[in-house]
Amino acid sequence: MIESNIKAKLSFSDGTPDIELPIYKGTQGPDVIDIRKLYGQTGKFTYDPGFLSTASCSSKITFIDGDKGELLYRGYPIEDLAKNCDFLEVCQLLIKGELPNEKQNREFQDMVMHHTMVHEQMQFFLRGFRRDAHPMAVLTGLVGAMAAFYHDEIDYGDAKAREIAQIRLIAKMPTLVAMSYKYSIGQPFMYPDNNLSYTANFMRMMFATPCEPYKVNPVLVRALDRIFILHADHEQNASTSTVRLAGSSGTNPFAAISAGIACLWGPAHGGANEACLEMLNSIQASGGVEKIGEFIAQVKDKNSNVRLMGFGHRVYKNFDPRAKLMRETCHEVLKELGLENDPLFKLAMTLEKIALEDDYFVGRKLYPNVDFYSGIVQRALGIPTEMFTCIFALARTVGWIAQWEEMITDPEYKIGRPRQLFTGASPRAVPPISGRK
């Protein structure tokens, strides 16, 4: 942070003395007004529901320019990373700050792939869940339980202890997600195969059975790897802020990541691609492509509760940069699997075309976002809808880890403690009650 020569002057009409507040500049993005001394000098707080105008931290990890449709990981455009790197290379970038050289990459990949197994007792913990439980409920419990199974390195003030926890989370998350899925459908767990790549190993654990060998399809592996990269981090979103807030208490990273997973489960956050596919299924069930006109009319009707899922984004006021890449991947996967004429996928492409050409949506910049395409790709890969958010959590774990590491090593790090505008009752006496002694 660089302090600006410009100061913010805050004036009051109630007699409170005016104060000057410092302004800091980042390398990109809006300047920030430092209000840390505001309460001490004025006895007043700021009020910002949803923290829409509040920077809760300084960070070097991810930058988003919503107006430009730009997403950078450590300064690298997401487009370049998704086209030229694999997921574990991006993991190293997010955690360590730089892309690895060949030796560093080989050592990191080897370390991750030799920590993929989970404690055998975790399968008995898993069996305590109902088989029809939502996989996100199961995953939240499993990740939180890692603190009970891997509690040997508990001094997270020590860099080596943090590194061990980070490797364990990255390495074991695919195993836990796959176990959650296998348990829900009654199939035997598939142990990791460390001869495969990170993403190929995950797909094998998800879809293979002991009955026959699993054939790795490089096109499909690359598609899922790209999904992981595009979802690895996204600045200070709700789940990342949750991880930072939970971690600020000094809790172990497994508990902090579990809190992030619970937040991600919300339909307004990680459940968006699931909601998008449900929308497509609903249109298909009502008549398919022929009914899109009626559906679009309902979306435009202000008195209707029908929403167009998978279009527009709270942050991006232009095209979601991840969506461009996911669209390419979507068509690659459909072609590879011979699904170009699948009714649901034809419906999705028709809806996309109408929305991109209709003045109503173009004028409101409601372009397809990453969730629209990623749900279609995951369905084509054979991933059931209820597992979509688990896939998101798997990918976002590295972003959460990087944010947690940055927070825990920040000299200005403090336990999070938001304030409030209290609108309840003023102090009052308890009234006498008949019969009370």
Side-chain angles (χ1 to χ4, degrees):
M1 285 191 307
I2 302 172
E3 186 169 354
S4 171
N5 294 326
I6 303 171
K7 306 290 183 183
K9 186 174 182 179
L10 190 59
S11 300
F12 302 86
S13 60
D14 63 355
T16 303
D18 294 353
I19 63 168
E20 278 194 348
L21 299 170
I23 296 177
Y24 290 97
K25 292 180 174 293
T27 53
Q28 294 190 82
D31 297 344
V32 298
I33 301 170
D34 186 349
I35 61 169
R36 282 175 288 184
K37 295 181 179 180
L38 178 66
Y39 178 63
Q41 293 182 7
T42 68
K44 295 176 173 62
F45 300 138
T46 57
Y47 182 62
D48 185 20
F51 309 112
L52 302 185
S53 297
T54 299
S56 61
C57 63
S58 64
S59 180
K60 298 177 180 179
I61 300 172
T62 302
F63 175 75
I64 297 171
D65 188 323
D67 293 328
K68 292 181 181 178
E70 183 178 65
L71 171 60
L72 307 176
Y73 291 171
R74 301 285 190 180
Y76 292 101
I78 190 65
E79 298 91 334
D80 291 351
L81 292 171
K83 290 177 180 177
N84 300 307
C85 301
D86 66 27
F87 180 62
L88 287 187
E89 289 176 297
V90 173
C91 288
Q92 293 169 80
L93 171 67
L94 289 172
I95 294 173
K96 300 178 184 297
E98 297 292 343
L99 285 168
N101 60 35
E102 186 177 346
K103 181 176 181 291
Q104 292 168 334
N105 188 39
R106 186 171 58 252
E107 290 174 350
F108 183 84
Q109 300 238 8
D110 186 69
M111 186 178 297
V112 168
M113 296 314 298
H114 285 86
H115 281 81
T116 52
M117 288 183 64
V118 298
H119 198 291
E120 191 70 7
Q121 281 185 274
M122 288 200 78
Q123 68 167 288
F124 300 109
F125 176 78
L126 177 60
R127 294 179 198 279
F129 291 98
R130 288 172 54 117
R131 287 196 183 270
D132 61 353
H134 195 287
M136 281 294 281
V138 175
L139 188 63
T140 303
L142 287 176
V143 174
M146 286 180 71
F149 287 94
Y150 304 101
H151 54 76
D152 52 326
E153 303 287 349
I154 57 174
D155 180 13
Y156 294 111
D158 177 64
K160 187 63 178 177
R162 294 197 304 274
E163 183 182 12
I164 291 172
Q166 291 162 9
I167 293 295
R168 282 174 170 163
L169 279 160
I170 294 170
K172 299 179 191 304
M173 185 63 75
T175 310
L176 295 178
V177 171
M179 288 175 69
S180 301
Y181 173 59
K182 289 293 193 183
Y183 182 70
S184 70
I185 61 175
Q187 288 187 2
F189 303 133
M190 295 297 294
Y191 287 100
D193 181 349
N194 294 336
N195 293 313
L196 297 175
S197 70
Y198 184 87
T199 304
N201 182 45
F202 171 65
M203 292 186 73
R204 177 186 168 277
M205 289 190 291
M206 282 283 290
F207 302 122
T209 68
C211 308
E212 54 193 28
Y214 178 75
K215 296 180 180 179
V216 175
N217 184 321
V219 174
L220 305 187
V221 169
R222 181 58 184 152
L224 188 56
D225 199 71
R226 184 170 284 183
I227 287 177
F228 289 166
I229 291 171
L230 297 180
H231 289 83
D233 197 51
H234 210 237
E235 215 191 65
Q236 304 307 316
N237 54 80
S239 58
T240 298
S241 297
T242 297
V243 170
R244 277 185 173 262
L245 187 58
S248 74
S249 72
T251 191
N252 67 81
F254 306 112
I257 300 303
S258 181
I261 294 171
C263 179
L264 186 69
W265 191 2
H269 192 5
N273 53 12
E274 187 174 344
C276 179
L277 203 61
E278 289 174 354
M279 174 194 72
L280 293 174
N281 283 324
S282 175
I283 299 172
Q284 183 66 24
S286 68
V289 174
E290 290 76 15
K291 294 293 182 179
I292 287 183
E294 294 180 18
F295 173 77
I296 293 294
Q298 289 179 307
V299 171
K300 296 178 180 179
D301 185 354
K302 294 181 180 180
N303 298 317
S304 169
N305 293 322
V306 176
R307 293 179 60 199
L308 182 63
M309 307 302 297
F311 289 76
H313 195 279
R314 181 177 178 180
V315 174
Y316 298 109
K317 306 309 177 187
N318 206 317
F319 208 86
D320 182 343
R322 303 168 300 170
K324 297 176 184 178
L325 296 160
M326 207 65 251
R327 186 181 191 277
E328 293 176 13
T329 301
C330 182
H331 286 280
E332 289 170 4
V333 168
L334 299 187
K335 181 179 179 181
E336 177 69 16
L337 296 175
L339 292 173
E340 302 101 315
N341 294 317
D342 180 274
L344 191 69
F345 300 138
K346 288 186 71 174
L347 170 66
M349 294 304 104
T350 304
L351 183 60
E352 173 202 52
K353 185 175 186 297
I354 292 173
L356 288 174
E357 295 175 353
D358 191 304
D359 291 340
Y360 178 88
F361 301 108
V362 174
R364 290 166 173 77
K365 296 185 178 181
L366 295 176
Y367 303 113
N369 60 38
V370 69
D371 298 309
F372 180 75
Y373 299 110
S374 67
I376 296 171
V377 172
Q378 290 184 65
R379 181 183 184 275
L381 295 176
I383 299 170
T385 307
E386 62 271 15
M387 288 296 299
F388 285 3
T389 317
C390 292
I391 301 297
F392 195 157
L394 191 168
R396 185 56 58 85
T397 293
V398 66
W400 291 330
I401 290 169
Q403 298 276 351
W404 172 79
E405 169 74 17
E406 183 178 65
M407 179 205 65
I408 216 80
T409 56
D410 186 345
E412 295 186 333
Y413 142 69
K414 294 179 176 64
I415 184 171
R417 180 60 169 86
R419 307 308 293 255
Q420 66 176 11
L421 173 65
F422 181 69
T423 58
S426 299
R428 50 184 174 170
V430 176
I433 298 177
S434 177
R436 174 182 287 169
K437 293 182 180 179

